[in-house]
């Protein structure tokens, strides 16, 4: 009996095991396959990131330094006094200094070329140097003045193939000769490019700086922050804690979610149509009157664009506070407002802050809506107030990328690098704030 | 079937008297006409199977149901002769007078001191820091927690054990000197040792406060309460002295429940 009943089991068992093993192996194989696909995705994403950063950093590095020429400057002219040092025309002084640095150049054409070795902004640089050092007036000095962008690029080996025929190059044989000669004489000094970090925009690559755009971005973001955070968080608190749940609030909620997905250029059109032009209703104009190209206008438009993000993030943060906290506060007689502001809001703060900073980072990188309200204008002066014409970092990058001069390629890359640094800094602050507030209890 | 009302001889006027209380969640009637008198400085236990409406009824007594949009309460609930649903009643003052302890310990994520001090502060009960410290100490002593936490009042209340947290919540409730304390299954999240400590505490608190406790545990109701009301499907089936209900239930449903056949 026992033999009969046991034998089929013994015979059957291996085949069951075999099938199960097969199935298990298949499952494990599928798991491994999926794991490798995921790993591959991460690695390729990382590779692209490395390529991106490599290109940007590689392009940006030359923009961080600049070549200066030691020019003998004669400040003994009787016309130059301490009073007019800040308004004096130094062009002639610079010109004579260059002729002295490279002696023996005759002929109008060659002399013009020689003058072109030094930046056309050199006279302005000299003016600010002399204004800062009035004791120089009446003496002879040797002052480092910025070279022209072509000379700088040649010295940085960024001119491309210089063995091409002269007519195909922007830098002629004689200019190359002079540059090499000056370099050999030790009259050229490579310095940190402080002009790039302190000047506003310019048509001359060597005189163009990022500071105007940085200040413009800062002011614009400040306006955005001041407008969107109180309104956004207030709206989120009202909708989450106070508003009755009915059709109207449901409709509002759907629309806020939809607004978050509206292309940013539409907000630019709104800014143009409403804030700048205004809506004309017969004799009455609604809106309008905002200054064109100004930080306050750009900031307002970006605030409208950022509001849905802030509201959605804040609502999610408020919703994630456990209801037991509200009940605890209400249960000992706190009013709804007290429960919200004493207990719910502090607990929701890390989420609100994170959402706000992410929204701000988005606003910082936004270009399209600002183009429409005129922040793409060519603005040389660094904005001194919220109503001054200004530009912002991404728009500056957009403009520089469009300029034909080779010198702007490096500027563009350097500006992108600066924008990325700001974005990384903001995200780091978001992470830091979140960790700080969450670790507290 | 109509609710059977056991007429315990009422020598004094009840602290809380409820008549014909109905509670609706949207169209669903959760409480169907409850009459109940709750005596002063006694523990009244509300027992019954899950979903029978005892928690909902408890939350009517301090109007916590007001916070639920779709919830509607009709009928009369008087505390010391004052209808608490009357328009002139300030719900904030009502909740200071009728404290509540919840099922899951829910201390604020603030320090132990702040947890207790918050109530007196928003109601302006303390004159200065020393007075506040006094109130906090008294409340913690009454909740039997002072000796355990006196050296770490500045540490987060959420860092205490479950039982300690629940006693902290009781201290927080009594810090605003209420006359009634509502407890919604206060021991359901606690282990047996913490439960027995809280039960002892409830027994002590009875001297100063009127306590209404919702519980799932029949033994707990028998241990801590003097009066018991048995809820079933949104109605009160039977009320009376706890001893009577447990030893001599009049309604067959009560008997089935306390002997474990329904619920």
């Amino acid at each position: 009996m026992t033999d009969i009943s046991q034998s089929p089991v013994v015979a059957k068992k291996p085949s069951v095991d075999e099938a199960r093993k097969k199935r298990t192996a298949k499952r494990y194989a599928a798991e491994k396959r999926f794991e490798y696909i995921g790993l591959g995705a991460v690695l390729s994403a990382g590779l692209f990131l490395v390529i991106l950063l490599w290109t940007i950093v590689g392009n940006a590095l030359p923009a961080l330094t600049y070549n200066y020429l030691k020019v003998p400057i004669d400040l003994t002219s009787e016309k130059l006094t301490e009073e007019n040092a800040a308004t004096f025309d130094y062009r002639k002084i610079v010109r004579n200094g260059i002729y002295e640095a490279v002696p023996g150049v005759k002929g109008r054409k060659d002399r013009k070329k020689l003058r072109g070795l030094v930046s056309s902004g050199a006279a302005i640089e000299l003016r600010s140097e002399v204004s800062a050092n009035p004791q120089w007036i009446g003496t002879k000095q040797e002052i480092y003045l910025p070279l022209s962008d072509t000379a700088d690029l040649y010295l940085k080996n960024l001119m491309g193939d210089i063995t091409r025929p002269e007519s195909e190059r922007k830098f002629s044989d004689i200019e190359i000769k002079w540059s090499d000669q000056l370099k050999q004489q030790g009259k050229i000094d490579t310095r940190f490019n402080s002009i790039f970090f302190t000047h506003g925009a310019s048509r001359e690559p060597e005189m163009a700086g990022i500071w105007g755009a940085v200040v413009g971005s800062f002011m614009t973001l400040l306006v955005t922050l001041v407008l969107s955070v109180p309104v956004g968080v207030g709206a989120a608190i009202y909708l989450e804690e106070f508003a009755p749940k009915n059709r109207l609030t449901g409709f509002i909620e759907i629309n806020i979610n939809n607004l978050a997905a509206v292309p940013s250029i539409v907000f630019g059109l709104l800014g143009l149509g409403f804030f700048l032009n205004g809506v004309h209703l017969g004799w009455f104009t609604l809106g309008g009157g905002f200054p064109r190209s100004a930080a306050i206008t750009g900031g307002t438009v970006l605030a409208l664009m950022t509001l849905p993000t802030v509201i959605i993030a804040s609502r999610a943060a408020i919703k994630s506070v456990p209801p037991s906290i509200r009940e605890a506060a209400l249960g000992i007689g706190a009013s709804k407002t007290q429960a919200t502001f004493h207990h719910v809001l502090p607990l929701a703060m890390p989420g609100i802050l994170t959402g706000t900073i992410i929204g701000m980072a988005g606003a910082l990188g936004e270009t399209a809506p600002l183009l429409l309200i005129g922040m793409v204008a060519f603005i040389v002066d660094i904005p001194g107030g919220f109503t001054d014409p200004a530009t912002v970092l991404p728009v500056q990058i957009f403009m520089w990328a469009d300029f034909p001069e080779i010198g702007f390629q490096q500027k563009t890359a350097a500006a992108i690098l600066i924008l990325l640094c700001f974005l990384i800094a903001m995200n780091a602050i978001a992470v830091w704030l979140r960790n700080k507030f969450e670790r507290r209890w | 079937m109509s609710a059977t009302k056991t007429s315990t001889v009422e020598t004094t006027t009840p602290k809380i008297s409820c008549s014909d209380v109905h509670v609706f969640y949207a169209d669903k009637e959760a409480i169907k006409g409850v009459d109940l008198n709750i005596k002063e400085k006694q523990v009244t236990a509300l027992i019954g199977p899950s979903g029978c409406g005892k928690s909902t009824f408890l939350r009517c007594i301090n109007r916590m149901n007001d916070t639920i949009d779709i919830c509607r309460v009709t009928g009369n609930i008087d505390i010391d002769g004052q209808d608490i649903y009357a328009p002139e009643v300030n719900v904030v003052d009502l909740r200071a007078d009728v404290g509540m302890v919840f099922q899951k310990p829910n201390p604020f994520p603030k320090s132990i001191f702040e947890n207790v001090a918050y109530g007196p502060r928003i109601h302006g009960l303390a004159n200065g820091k020393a007075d506040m410290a006094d109130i906090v100490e008294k409340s913690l002593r009454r909740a039997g927690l002072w000796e355990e936490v006196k050296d770490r009042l500045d540490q987060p209340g959420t860092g205490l054990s479950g039982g300690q947290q629940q006693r902290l919540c009781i201290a927080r409730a009594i810090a605003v000197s209420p006359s009634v304390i509502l407890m919604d299954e206060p021991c359901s999240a606690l282990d047996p040792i913490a439960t027995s400590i809280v039960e002892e505490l409830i027994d002590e608190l009875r001297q100063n406060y009127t306590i209404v406790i919702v519980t799932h545990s029949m033994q707990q109701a028998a241990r801590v309460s003097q009066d018991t009301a048995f809820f079933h499907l949104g109605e009160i089936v039977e009320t009376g002295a706890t001893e009577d209900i447990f030893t001599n239930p009049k309604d067959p449903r009560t008997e089935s429940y306390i002997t474990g056949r329904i619920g």
Side-chain angles (χ1 to χ4, degrees), chain B residues 31-60:
Chain B
I31 305 277
K32 302 164 184 169
V34 161
D35 301 297
L36 182 67
N37 288 332
I38 293 164
K39 285 184 221 144
E40 192 165 13
K41 295 191 178 166
Q42 280 207 357
V43 178
T44 305
L46 311 181
I47 61 168
S50 293
C52 68
K54 52 195 190 303
S55 284
T56 301
F57 177 72
L58 188 77
R59 291 165 64 95
C60 292

Side-chain angles (χ1 to χ4, degrees), chain A residues 243-245 324-336 338-339 342-343 346-347 440-441, chain B residues 59 64 67 69 92 95-96 98-100 102 106-111 118-119 122-123 156 172-173:
Chain A
K245 304 273 173 284
S324 65
I325 295 293
R326 288 182 191 86
E327 290 200 320
L330 294 176
I332 50 170
S335 67
K336 217 167 180 179
Q338 284 172 327
H342 293 168
H343 299 287
L347 291 176
R440 214 150 135 197
W441 300 114
Chain B
R59 291 165 64 95
M64 278 300 273
T67 58
D69 280 337
V92 164
R95 288 188 193 139
V98 184
M100 189 158 196
F102 296 87
N106 56 354
F108 298 128
K110 296 178 189 287
S111 71
Y118 180 69
I122 58 171
H123 293 293
R172 182 176 65 188

Side-chain angles (χ1 to χ4, degrees), chain B residues 153-254:
Chain B
L153 290 174
D154 56 338
Q155 281 175 29
T158 42
L160 296 172
S161 75
Q164 288 174 325
Q165 285 189 22
Q166 196 61 298
R167 278 181 286 150
L168 179 62
C169 292
I170 293 172
R172 182 176 65 188
I174 59 186
V176 290
S177 39
S179 59
V180 181
I181 301 176
L182 309 175
M183 297 186 174
D184 190 357
E185 296 181 43
C187 300
S188 64
L190 305 184
D191 67 40
I193 295 166
T195 299
S196 75
I197 295 173
V198 172
E199 282 178 7
E200 273 173 38
L201 174 62
I202 292 170
D203 205 44
E204 279 171 35
L205 292 174
R206 177 162 63 93
Q207 297 168 3
N208 297 305
Y209 307 97
T210 305
I211 295 172
V212 186
I213 178 171
V214 164
T215 177
H216 265 298
S217 155
M218 246 81 64
Q219 291 90 335
Q220 186 171 62
R223 280 193 300 261
V224 300
S225 72
Q226 287 72 51
D227 274 353
T228 296
F230 172 59
F231 277 69
H232 189 61
L233 301 176
E235 289 172 23
I236 288 189
V237 173
E238 192 168 346
T239 63
T242 304
E243 261 185 46
D244 295 344
I245 295 242
F246 279 90
T247 53
N248 187 19
K250 298 198 172 51
D251 194 284
R253 286 170 296 176
T254 317

